[in-house]
Amino acid sequence: MKKFRMPLLLGFWLISISLYSQNVIMHNGTVNTCGGYFYDSGGRTGNYADNENLVLTLCSDGSTGTHMLLTFIGTTLGPGDNICFFDGTDASAPSLGCASDYPTGNFIIQATAANSSGCITVVFTSDGVGNDSGWECNLQCAANCQVFNSVLTF
């Protein structure tokens, strides 16, 4: 009986970890989460489709921090396709850049301290020819950094 106790406890522990993370597939909408992975519309193993124009806002669920932190582990986009990031709840927020700004495909995007929502809006566009494997991204939340206002007196 004791032989089965440790594997059983390990199994329950692994299941409990997976229940607290969420895999997010690129779509139009809003997701509140502080864990899991974020993939293109093809998921972990497939390619994204041609002619996509999707906007997803990722916000903290408040469990481990207030501001989104996206760690891209690999990004492979076809020519003419791009994924861009905005520091707020929609694409009118200040730009944080696009994947094309990071030629290695591995990069980190984090909501800034000035962003009171802590959200990051992701805009993905693909043209009509040549899709690719897309991206895999680790989703986390971080504490907001403190904003400092400096005053110089002479």
Side-chain angles (χ1 to χ4, degrees):
M1 184 65 160
K2 288 185 180 187
K3 288 182 181 181
F4 296 109
R5 188 177 301 166
M6 185 55 90
L8 186 61
L9 290 174
L10 181 61
F12 283 128
W13 179 74
L14 290 172
I15 290 170
S16 68
I17 288 175
S18 67
L19 291 175
Y20 288 104
S21 64
Q22 177 179 5
N23 288 336
V24 177
I25 303 296
M26 185 68 193
H27 65 281
N28 288 316
T30 300
V31 174
N32 297 310
T33 187
C34 281
Y37 288 91
F38 171 42
Y39 300 104
D40 59 89
S41 62
R44 185 167 192 207
T45 58
N47 287 9
Y48 58 83
D50 291 335
N51 297 312
E52 289 189 350
N53 187 8
L54 302 171
V55 180
L56 177 64
T57 301
L58 298 165
C59 298
S60 168
D61 63 9
S63 63
T64 61
T66 58
H67 282 59
M68 292 304 301
L69 174 66
L70 313 179
T71 304
F72 283 79
I73 306 161
T75 306
T76 307
L77 302 176
D81 303 340
N82 212 352
I83 180 173
C84 296
F85 310 95
F86 298 89
D87 194 26
T89 57
D90 59 42
S92 67
S95 175
L96 294 171
C98 296
S100 58
D101 299 332
Y102 306 95
T104 65
N106 298 316
F107 55 93
I108 296 172
I109 300 289
Q110 183 173 358
T112 66
N115 175 354
S116 61
S117 72
C119 300
I120 293 176
T121 296
V122 181
V123 176
F124 175 66
T125 55
S126 63
D127 60 15
V129 290
N131 57 36
D132 216 318
S133 59
W135 66 87
E136 180 177 355
C137 171
N138 185 10
L139 296 171
Q140 295 174 290
C141 294
N144 187 17
C145 296
Q146 184 176 356
V147 177
F148 290 96
N149 294 319
S150 299
V151 177
L152 297 176
T153 57
F154 297 94

